[in-house]
């Protein structure tokens, strides 16, 4: 045993000797949780912080008589919450499966002598698409009675059909009130659960596969941006772009409006800023021992800069949601009050008290004080000694003028307290822009009313998109000095006219910035109309003449183009007019009129449970469609039968391969399990561990290749035929539920 290990063991023994009787884990009330076992407590952490309690009792953020309940809730583990993701028809099928199968199996179930609480819907979340349960991850993993439910949650989460998202995290996108035609900026987007909510809102109308709006999701961390791209891919939307930038100085983007360059202003902005996170103590238990007011004092300036930058890029009449997972008014009301004061009436707090019926919240504070990390209080800026001026700033205090303070309506802010609805702590404020910010010389000149939808662009569903923006250009570094919009447009045009950019090519940033970020990526190249690559593909798939070929792009200017990606018309506009600071990733989902095989529900079961079934195993209708097709990629489409409500009622589109005498699907394992569950078939646990999707009905007929020539066909496919060009990540292993 090493010296460090001996020291650790000695410290543990000393701690055991110091613990009072009846509290095995050394924390008040934790012995009870330890005995219960299945509630998932953290016995090794003492959940106490006297400075935390002193600070918030002094600020009176908790109603009188509720302090003990507040602290007791903070010490309890956070309930598991899940949100059903995806688009409406598919989400409803998952909800039906959850309620009528898995939740029913939990009724009257006991684990370790404790009655299992059946998951309940969040009362304030629309259409019962969000649920919470007191089952901890520990009990879900280790209880044999809950194994089937746990497998369902894990598999569906990996597939992206369910998101394990904290309840309070779902609030900001709902209050943003986004619609399919809105241009949305998510300023601090990673890991992406709120971003996926926003994408779903864009696709609220299932009859418009190509909405006019889009989401630009930003994060300062390059690696977390790739996590955002991964999250977005699950929804296969052409209307999401991921950018990598410091949110406090995120550049203005330009768009082309009738041949003229104009600044892009957003209809909706989500400003979920970095924070101290003391509202997350129930899941991030390190906060108990690390909490200090210094964290809030250090973050206040950054939070205010990010919120200010967001307000600058918001269109008049637009809505911005500012949120934190902190309870501290220095990060919350102080930021909002300072932003309102400097806006000089350009911004105002919206009254959203009736927008989420069932949600319990406390109104924002109108008075608060500032405390240093050593416990010294200051009620106003004049009391702060000069030696503290670098740590404490005047924007941290409430306005002195009572009339000005009253006009701000800070009570319209929402503070979510953990004990009211068994959640984490949270703060949210909704701001509406009434006019241009005072330091901008001219208001934005956007064509038409951004809040009114225009006729939608009719095109195909498309794959996820991802962008990376490099550092700000010289132009952008001057934006905060009061340069007017006209000057911005003129200087941008000058920069582009002096460059050597080819038409349709969005090049990477200058090499200096690429070295700075350390990530080199190929540029995008939009496919020109006369590109010889496209006609063979158009003929092979019988693409509709309305197919927006100008929205296709590839990642190489030379050599064979192995992959094509698609973006919406609006994002194409953004990319072509901001190429000096962007690079990115997209996928394309084909909009085709040929090589589509309509399959029955029984056909889908065969395709998902057998590796390479012979064509003869399909229904006669499907066989007739498939037998005369040449080898190559195909689309396998299932349409629900409304006269059979007990069967799967959402349409399914699968990518597949037609071999010489067989057919197969390109569907990842978790997607296979998902569709089988939606059809009411359970997967055998021992077979699932082997990586083969099987059901009780089909186990006897599966598990081996039925057509030896198929794998050879698939290898040959990579070097021949017009469809050798991949049409997005789904064709390489995905299943898509169309909008």
């Amino acid at each position: 045993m090493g010296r460090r290990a001996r020291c650790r063991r000695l410290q543990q023994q000393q701690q055991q000797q110091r613990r009072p009787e009846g509290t095995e884990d050394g924390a008040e009330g934790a012995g009870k949780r330890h005995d219960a076992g299945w509630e998932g407590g953290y016995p090794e952490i003492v959940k106490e912080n006297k400075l935390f309690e002193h600070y918030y009792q002094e600020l009176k953020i908790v109603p009188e008589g509720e302090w003990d309940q507040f602290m007791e809730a903070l010490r309890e583990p956070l309930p598991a919450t899940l949100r059903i993701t995806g688009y409406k028809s598919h989400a409803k099928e998952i909800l039906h499966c959850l309620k009528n199968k898995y939740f029913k199996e939990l009724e009257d179930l006991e684990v370790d002598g404790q009655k299992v609480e059946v998951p309940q819907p969040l009362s304030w979340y629309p259409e019962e698409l969000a649920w919470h349960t007191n089952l901890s991850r520990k009990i879900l993993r280790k209880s044999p009675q809950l194994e089937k439910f746990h497998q369902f949650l894990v598999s569906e989460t990996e597939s992206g059909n369910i998101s394990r998202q904290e309840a309070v995290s779902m609030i900001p996108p709902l209050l943003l009130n986004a619609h399919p035609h809105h241009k949305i900026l998510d300023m601090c987007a990673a890991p992406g659960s709120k971003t996926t909510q926003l994408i779903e809102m864009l696709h609220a109308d299932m009859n418009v596969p190509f909405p006019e709006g889009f989401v630009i999701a930003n994060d300062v961390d390059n690696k977390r941006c790739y996590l955002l791209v991964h999250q977005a891919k699950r929804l296969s939307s052409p209307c999401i772009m991921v950018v990598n930038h410091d949110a406090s100085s995120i550049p203005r983007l330009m768009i082309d409006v009738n041949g003229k360059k104009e600044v892009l202003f957003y209809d909706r902005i989500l400003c979920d800023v970095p924070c101290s996170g003391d509202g997350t103590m129930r899941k991030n238990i390190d906060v108990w021992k690390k909490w200090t007011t210094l964290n809030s004092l250090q973050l206040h300036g950054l939070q205010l800069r990010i919120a200010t930058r967001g307000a600058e890029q918001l269109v008049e009449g637009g809505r911005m949601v500012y949120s934190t997972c902190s309870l501290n008014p220095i990060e919350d009301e102080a930021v909002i009050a300072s932003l309102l004061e400097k806006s000089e009436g350009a911004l105002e707090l919206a009254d959203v008290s009736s927008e989420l019926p069932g949600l319990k919240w406390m109104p924002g504070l109108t008075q608060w004080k500032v405390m240093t990390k050593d416990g010294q209080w200051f009620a106003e800026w004049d009391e702060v000694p000069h030696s503290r001026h670098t740590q404490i700033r005047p924007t941290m205090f409430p306005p002195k003028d009572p009339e000005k303070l009253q006009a701000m309506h800070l009570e319209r802010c929402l503070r979510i307290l953990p004990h009211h609805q068994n959640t984490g702590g949270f703060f949210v404020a909704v701001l509406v822009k009434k006019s241009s910010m005072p330091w901008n010389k001219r208001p934005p000149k956007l064509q038409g009313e951004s809040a009114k939808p225009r006729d939608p662009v009719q095109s195909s569903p498309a794959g996820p998109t991802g962008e990376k923006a490099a550092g700000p250009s010289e132009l952008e570094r001057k934006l905060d000095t009061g340069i007017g919009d006209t000057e911005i447009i003129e200087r941008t045009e000058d920069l582009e006219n002096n460059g050597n950019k080819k038409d349709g090519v969005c090049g990477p940033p200058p090499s200096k910035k690429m070295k700075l970020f350390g990530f080199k990526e190929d540029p995008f190249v939009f496919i020109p109309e006369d590109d010889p690559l496209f006609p063979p593909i158009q003929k092979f798939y019988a693409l509709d003449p309305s197919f927006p070929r100008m929205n296709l792009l590839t990642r190489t200017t030379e050599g064979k183009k192995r992959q094509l990606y698609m973006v919406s018309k609006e994002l194409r506009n953004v990319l072509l007019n901001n190429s000096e600071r962007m690079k990115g990733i997209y996928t394309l989902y084909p909009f085709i009129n040929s090589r589509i095989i309509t399959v029955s529900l029984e056909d889908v079961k065969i395709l998902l449970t057998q590796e390479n079934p012979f064509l003869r195993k399909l229904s006669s209708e499907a066989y007739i469609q498939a037998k005369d097709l040449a080898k190559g990629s195909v689309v396998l489409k299932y349409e629900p039968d409304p006269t059979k409500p007990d069967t799967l009622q959402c349409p399914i589109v699968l990518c597949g391969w037609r071999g010489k005498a067989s057919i197969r699907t390109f569907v990842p394992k978790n997607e296979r399990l998902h569709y089988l569950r939606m059809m009411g078939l359970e997967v055998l646990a021992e077979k699932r561990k082997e990586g083969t999707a099987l059901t009780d009905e089909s186990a006897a007929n599966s598990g081996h290749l039925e057509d030896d020539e198929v794998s050879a066909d698939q290898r040959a496919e990579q070097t021949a035929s017009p469809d050798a060009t991949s049409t997005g990540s789904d064709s390489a292993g995905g299943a898509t539920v169309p909008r």
Side-chain angles (χ1 to χ4, degrees), residues 186-199:
D186 189 350
M187 299 190 74
C188 308
S193 55
K194 299 181 186 69
T195 307
T196 56
Q197 274 183 273
L198 296 172
I199 297 171

Side-chain angles (χ1 to χ4, degrees), residues 372 376-393 397:
T372 63
Q376 186 178 2
W377 289 95
F378 299 104
E380 55 185 45
W381 169 246
D382 294 340
E383 298 176 2
V384 181
H386 191 269
S387 60
R388 298 275 192 181
H389 281 190
T390 55
Q391 184 185 89
I392 299 175
R393 303 301 302 154
F397 296 89

Side-chain angles (χ1 to χ4, degrees), residues 213-234:
F214 55 78
V215 177
I216 294 180
N218 174 71
D219 200 85
V220 69
D221 188 303
N222 188 279
K223 290 181 180 179
R224 284 163 64 90
C225 282
Y226 284 97
L227 180 59
L228 277 173
V229 171
H230 174 73
Q231 293 276 49
K233 275 187 177 182
R234 296 171 174 176

Side-chain angles (χ1 to χ4, degrees), residues 608 652 671-679 735-737:
L608 293 178
I652 299 175
E671 286 290 330
R672 289 184 180 229
L673 302 185
H674 163 71
Y675 286 113
L676 290 171
R677 286 197 190 94
M678 294 302 102
M679 290 184 282
T736 302
V737 176

Side-chain angles (χ1 to χ4, degrees), residues 32 73 86 93 97 122-123 140 184 221 258 280-281 460 468 471 503 522 551 570 576 597 625 681 687:
K32 177 181 176 183
E93 284 296 319
C97 184
L122 296 178
S123 61
L140 279 171
I184 306 169
D221 188 303
N258 296 328
T280 69
M281 291 175 118
S460 67
K468 292 255 173 66
D503 186 34
D522 294 329
N551 296 351
E570 288 74 21
L576 286 177
I597 302 173
Q625 298 172 69
L681 301 177
K687 295 294 183 183

